[in-house]
Amino acid sequence: MPTITGAEIEMAAAPSEAAPVENHYGVGAAPTRETTPPDLAVDVAAMQFAWIFTYPDEVVAGELHVPLGKDVLLNLNAQDVIHSFWVPQFRLKQDVIPGQATQLRFVATKAGTYPLVCAELCGGYHGAMRAEVIVQPEAEFEAWLAENRLASQPAVTETIAVNPAELTPADFLAPYAQTFGVDGGALASLDSQFSQK
Amino acid sequence: MTQTQLPGQAAAPVTAPETAPPKAWKWYDYFTFNTDHKVIGIQYLVTSFIFYLIGGLMAVAMRAELYSADADLLDPNLYNAFLTNHGTIMIFLWIVPAAIGGFGNYLIPLMIGAKDMAFPNLNALAFWLNPPAGALLLGSFFFGGSQSGWTAYPPLSLITANAAQSMWILAIVLVGTSSILGSVNFVVTLLKMRVPGMQWTQLPLFCWSMLATSVLALLSTPVLAAGLILLLFDINFGTGFFRPEMGGDVVIYQHLFWFYSHPAVYLMILPIFGIMSEVIPVHARKPIFGYKAIAYSSLAICCVGLFVWVHHMFTSGTPPWMRMFFTVSTLIVAVPTGVKIFSWIATLWGGKLRLNSAMLFAIGLLSMFVIGGITGVTLGTAPFDIHVHDTYYVVGHFHYVLFGGSVFGIYAGIYHWFPKMTGRMLNETWGRIHFALTFIGTHLTFLPMHELGLQGMPRRVAMYDPQFEFVNQICTFGSILLGISVIPLFINVIWSWSQGPLAGRNPWRALTLEWQTTSPPSIENFEETPVLWTGPYEYGIDLLSADGNKSVQELLGEVSVEAQ
Ligand SMILES: [Cu+2]
């Protein structure tokens, strides 16, 4: 499988809400860091119409938790059609292309919760394919990871057995609601969006 | 007047048709396979205007859906069918056929003093490929409608509404074929059928821009056809060109698609640039500023425009050198475009402006296109594009270019040439109301979209983050205003076609050849071969010779001696 190295984007600073960014965008890769291993690698699966994040030790979540100031590598994979990983506040966007392993590498430097948006038309509920990126201090992040490490196992196998394309996002995410801290309010809003169609 | 070598001058005379044609066309002739370029031009304009209304209704329906953040009005799949077909119809069944097919066919033979196009039958055939294409698109709604955007990226286009997607592909292949046939016709007509003695430097600038348009269409359209046929095979015949699970490559499709579809942007604006270069000097009563600069910049856009397509794919994992190369090539396009903008402004500068409807739309276009051009430069720059790609910023940008640019230009052309096409004047008051509504509606609808995109709203969504609701409501009100703005035009055209005051040959006192014949022109265009007694834009020159006592006959004699 080809790896798109050009997808690596160096980001030195995440913005605040009001005064956006001071980041060092190169056009393309960050060659100086290509050889150094990242501090954290997360597998990101994009599917109609949800994002699934898999951490080391099989921790699975519906939102992306990132330790503050650490070098994070995302391995992006599309399960069905093309999606696009976009965090507007990070000024960071990368298409997630089926059949091509894609990587995205960044350092988030400001704690906070930022929207994650799918930016490539992927079907009827493309607009509902939203999640969150939570940038938190390292200790907080480690605590979150530990909390979810053990509980994760059964739900993962259970989820892999079903075809996610046949489920609504709310159904799909329901098994995670208790164990992984997927926000109950978010599920309710997803549900209401689907019941209105 | 400078004398330059004229290639192909010997081939100019046109042979007379075998059978005597009727004196004038009846209304029903416009519904038949007619080979007269003027009939075909009007067929294109009227047909495309009907599709403009259909595509416009789809847009208003989408804006109504976006009035609230939830998907509460339309089924999201129907919303996607509307967004796909809105784009497809507006591009392939409105702007391209109206600007190229409509004005190109109607004007080119008249402007170069020819009796018809080089291949009249081919011309009629090219037009009649369009109605079935439109029928296929509208018919596809019975199968859910194509829902994968006008870009039809696989794998989404492979797994969504297969029947409708196939009909969509066939429709695009039909209009693409029509475009190729039309382009061949334009090129040969312009090369071989100019009135004897017409130098390249005496060619009206609309003809120059149509030459560039045709060359561009000939080079790029086959590539799109290839990509779409492969997609059709993937959907229906089990191939896997773009199926990743079969080893296919979805990014190759994007290259094939954008190799055509970026030049398609220039196909939609180059003829409009031609219209601008005709309308502005006539109503500014001044010679065009920088004739050669405008003529050659069309060719420059045609050449550079073929090498910018990857700027649509900066987030598709393109390697760094490509991002660098295509950023630079994209920015270069701004140079010939800027040359044109400055030439038009210089033409307006100090002119005796007639601020009628045609001129208002032309000046409106200038202001709109500058905004669309500047946002275009920002989008061509990879680091910025990575943030706003596939957002409402892009939607705002290309509507400034395509609505504020192309559609304003088509409107300017309609107000300018309606007297020639029908023999009657349009009503000026209603024309100005039309302009005012359109101008305000365009800004109200499309300016706030830039903000939406920058703040994080992606395009092609039926539901969105509620924080964007207020700005979306502004856009929706603007789109309703735009919907209303078509009504004055519609009433004006219908009423003036039969009741408007008679125009006479040359109501604008214009110098290009189409104004030397009757309005509307007779079936063979000119009773006798027209005399080229002046360049196309030599306005104000009569003032210089006003001190002489020479009669018009003497002046004409002098000019024809000079022209030898
Ligand atoms: Cu998506």
Side-chain angles (χ1 to χ4, degrees):
Chain A
M1 254 189 202
T3 300
I4 302 168
T5 49
E8 294 194 6
I9 295 171
E10 175 158 22
M11 202 198 60
S16 70
E17 296 289 332
V21 245
E22 198 238 305
N23 60 14
H24 307 165
Y25 256 126
V27 177
T32 48
R33 288 218 314 265
E34 227 155 53
T35 47
T36 48
D39 299 324
L40 171 71
V42 184
D43 290 339
V44 182
M47 64 196 68
Q48 289 175 322
F49 301 93
W51 300 98
I52 302 298
F53 303 93
T54 308
Y55 289 80
D57 303 326
E58 301 299 317
V59 172
V60 179
E63 73 251 354
L64 178 61
H65 287 253
V66 172
L68 187 64
K70 292 290 172 187
D71 190 351
V72 178
L73 174 69
L74 302 182
N75 294 307
L76 303 148
N77 275 293
Q79 313 283 305
D80 35 41
V81 301
I82 304 176
H83 303 272
S84 191
F85 181 98
W86 183 32
V87 185
Q89 274 75 1
F90 288 10
R91 308 294 186 260
L92 207 57
K93 186 181 285 136
Q94 174 59 50
D95 287 3
V96 190
I97 302 168
Q100 297 196 0
T102 311
Q103 295 185 327
L104 195 60
R105 194 161 167 173
F106 63 93
V107 180
T109 55
K110 197 151 213 161
T113 302
Y114 307 101
L116 162 62
V117 182
C118 177
E120 181 67 54
L121 176 64
C122 59
Y125 293 88
H126 163 52
M129 188 166 162
R130 298 192 291 262
E132 281 177 341
V133 180
I134 297 155
V135 180
Q136 51 200 165
E138 200 184 355
E140 235 175 81
F141 170 78
E142 290 299 342
W144 172 84
L145 202 59
E147 201 176 293
N148 289 287
R149 195 164 281 145
L150 280 175
S152 65
Q153 303 297 345
V156 173
T157 46
E158 188 183 307
T159 313
I160 284 169
V162 300
N163 180 359
E166 289 165 4
L167 296 177
T168 66
D171 288 343
F172 181 80
L173 291 174
Y176 303 106
Q178 262 108 61
T179 39
F180 308 111
V182 173
D183 180 23
L187 278 181
S189 84
L190 270 177
D191 257 337
S192 67
Q193 266 161 359
F194 273 79
S195 56
Q196 276 161 1
K197 80 167 162 160
Chain B
M1 223 173 278
T2 53
Q3 293 286 342
T4 48
Q5 207 57 38
L6 175 62
Q9 194 170 3
V14 188
T15 51
E18 325 72 72
T19 51
K23 274 265 176 278
W25 300 119
K26 299 271 184 295
W27 65 269
Y28 49 78
D29 288 316
Y30 288 87
F31 295 88
T32 59
F33 189 91
N34 191 308
T35 56
D36 182 352
H37 72 98
K38 299 185 292 301
V39 174
I40 294 172
I42 288 173
Q43 284 174 328
Y44 268 116
L45 280 172
V46 172
T47 313
S48 59
F49 192 79
I50 292 168
F51 280 105
Y52 175 47
L53 296 180
I54 296 171
L57 286 177
M58 291 180 186
V60 173
M62 286 190 287
R63 283 308 329 166
E65 162 64 66
L66 294 173
Y67 189 80
S68 64
D70 289 335
D72 42 13
L73 187 70
L74 300 173
D75 176 82
N77 292 321
L78 180 64
Y79 179 91
N80 283 1
F82 276 170
L83 80 83
T84 303
N85 286 281
H86 164 76
T88 308
I89 285 174
M90 290 307 200
I91 293 166
F92 293 104
L93 290 167
W94 160 234
I95 296 177
V96 167
I100 302 178
F103 288 110
N105 275 304
Y106 196 92
L107 294 173
I108 282 184
L110 286 168
M111 282 181 165
I112 62 173
K115 287 181 177 173
D116 205 323
M117 298 283 283
F119 309 116
N121 278 306
L122 194 69
N123 204 15
L125 182 67
F127 167 74
W128 283 103
L129 290 175
N130 284 273
L136 275 172
L137 281 187
L138 296 182
S140 76
F141 275 88
F142 290 107
F143 303 91
S146 163
Q147 297 164 21
S148 52
W150 86 283
T151 49
Y153 277 7
L156 184 64
S157 54
L158 298 175
I159 61 170
T160 316
N162 282 344
Q165 190 71 48
S166 302
M167 292 168 83
W168 180 90
I169 292 172
L170 292 174
I172 304 302
V173 170
L174 280 180
V175 289
T177 309
S178 164
S179 170
I180 292 172
L181 299 181
S183 301
V184 170
N185 220 339
F186 288 132
V187 171
V188 176
T189 305
L190 285 168
L191 288 179
K192 294 291 182 189
M193 296 182 66
R194 299 191 308 282
V195 73
M198 183 183 266
Q199 317 286 324
W200 278 106
T201 50
Q202 292 170 313
L203 202 61
L205 286 165
F206 179 75
C207 299
W208 273 102
S209 66
M210 284 301 299
L211 186 68
T213 307
S214 305
V215 171
L216 198 53
L218 286 174
L219 291 174
S220 60
T221 316
V223 179
L224 174 75
L228 290 183
I229 298 283
L230 296 183
L231 192 65
L232 188 71
F233 275 47
D234 273 11
I235 294 174
N236 295 297
F237 307 122
T239 54
F241 298 107
F242 308 127
R243 287 188 184 275
E245 71 273 19
M246 292 169 71
D249 188 334
V250 297
V251 178
I252 296 292
Y253 173 85
Q254 299 181 11
H255 282 290
L256 294 174
F257 179 83
W258 286 114
F259 188 82
Y260 165 81
S261 294
H262 191 79
V265 175
Y266 304 119
L267 295 187
M268 288 185 276
I269 202 65
L270 279 172
I272 303 302
F273 286 168
I275 291 174
M276 289 288 281
S277 303
E278 300 303 323
V279 170
I280 286 181
V282 171
H283 298 290
R285 312 309 299 163
K286 267 184 67 190
I288 189 109
F289 182 92
Y291 173 93
K292 283 186 181 165
I294 294 181
Y296 297 156
S297 62
S298 292
L299 300 181
I301 290 175
C302 167
C303 297
V304 183
L306 283 169
F307 299 98
V308 301
W309 77 94
V310 175
H311 68 218
H312 295 273
M313 300 164 57
F314 283 150
T315 64
S316 304
T318 36
W321 72 266
M322 268 194 176
R323 289 181 177 179
M324 205 73 91
F325 178 91
F326 285 96
T327 293
V328 172
S329 65
T330 302
L331 299 192
I332 288 174
V333 181
V335 176
T337 315
V339 165
K340 284 176 189 290
I341 301 272
F342 283 119
S343 296
W344 295 324
I345 292 173
T347 307
L348 288 168
W349 187 265
K352 232 175 122 183
L353 304 191
R354 293 183 197 138
L355 285 177
N356 51 25
S357 311
M359 188 62 148
L360 285 174
F361 272 108
I363 296 174
L365 187 157
L366 266 180
S367 67
M368 297 281 178
F369 197 82
V370 166
I371 297 175
I374 289 171
T375 52
V377 169
T378 65
L379 282 168
T381 315
F384 185 82
D385 180 69
I386 285 170
H387 176 49
V388 292
H389 175 73
D390 263 325
T391 69
Y392 261 86
Y393 187 90
V394 176
V395 179
H397 154 72
F398 71 69
H399 279 96
Y400 265 88
V401 176
L402 292 181
F403 193 87
S406 300
V407 178
F408 271 53
I410 292 172
Y411 284 157
I414 289 174
Y415 284 102
H416 186 70
W417 280 294
F418 186 87
K420 178 52 61 184
M421 293 176 179
T422 65
R424 291 178 186 273
M425 305 297 287
L426 282 167
N427 180 295
E428 265 305 312
T429 310
W430 282 109
R432 283 160 205 233
I433 292 171
H434 175 217
F435 170 75
L437 290 175
T438 314
F439 189 79
I440 298 167
T442 307
H443 283 304
L444 203 58
T445 312
F446 302 118
L447 197 59
M449 289 183 179
H450 295 90
E451 173 73 1
L452 286 175
L454 285 170
Q455 294 301 323
M457 178 165 163
R459 65 190 280 209
R460 296 168 163 169
V461 292
M463 59 294 272
Y464 56 87
D465 193 322
Q467 62 161 311
F468 302 124
E469 208 163 48
F470 174 70
V471 183
N472 269 291
Q473 288 169 355
I474 299 176
C475 299
T476 299
F477 286 121
S479 73
I480 292 169
L481 196 59
L482 279 183
I484 293 170
S485 76
V486 183
I487 297 171
L489 172 73
F490 197 72
I491 294 173
N492 199 354
V493 165
I494 301 271
W495 186 82
S496 302
W497 207 316
S498 58
Q499 307 295 321
L502 290 174
R505 282 173 182 250
N506 194 352
W508 310 128
R509 294 176 56 228
L511 293 177
T512 39
L513 286 182
E514 80 269 25
W515 300 102
Q516 285 192 26
T517 184
T518 49
S519 304
S522 60
I523 286 180
E524 299 238 307
N525 291 350
F526 301 94
E527 287 93 61
E528 52 199 55
T529 312
V531 181
L532 197 67
W533 60 279
T534 173
Y537 305 110
E538 294 177 358
Y539 299 102
I541 282 179
D542 49 346
L543 296 174
L544 295 174
S545 59
D547 56 329
N549 297 322
K550 291 169 187 157
S551 69
V552 177
Q553 295 301 327
E554 285 172 312
L555 283 170
L556 272 175
E558 256 175 48
V559 174
S560 59
V561 168
E562 244 178 76
Q564 298 304 310

